[in-house]
Amino acid sequence: MLSLQRGYERTAEQFQALRRAARMLAAEDVPMDKAVSWAGVCRLKRWNAQHGEAHRTVKRRDQRLHVLLHQALLGETCALDHTNYPLE
């Protein structure tokens, strides 16, 4: 029963972190249902990105948004930075 409780607490914490990330994305005018790719984010923000350069464009234009997108939607590992951005 104790391990079940711990699992529930971890899941609840992750859910809260995702809800927090969703609110932060909404505040950036990047709704989670529209930001399914780096190119999609560039289109939403009206940033010009060359083919294959959308990730770098987001990172260069808004580092905070870059990290938030990794945490919330696109995987916490950034191959360009060789680092992880885990949910907090």
Side-chain angles (χ1 to χ4, degrees), residues 20-83:
R20 188 170 44 252
R23 285 191 304 271
M24 293 172 76
L25 284 171
E28 296 281 338
D29 293 325
V30 180
M32 287 182 81
D33 62 335
K34 304 280 188 201
V36 295
S37 69
W38 296 108
V41 172
C42 287
R43 281 190 295 274
L44 284 170
K45 291 292 198 175
R46 294 184 171 88
W47 294 337
N48 290 328
Q50 299 298 321
H51 181 70
E53 294 292 319
H55 177 268
R56 284 186 175 87
T57 299
V58 173
K59 183 179 177 204
R60 185 180 66 250
R61 299 288 299 261
D62 190 337
Q63 179 67 30
R64 184 175 159 267
L65 179 59
H66 169 256
V67 172
L68 182 60
L69 287 164
H70 271 294
Q71 291 174 330
L73 297 171
L74 303 169
E76 61 185 43
T77 300
C78 181
L80 292 179
D81 294 342
H82 304 289
T83 191

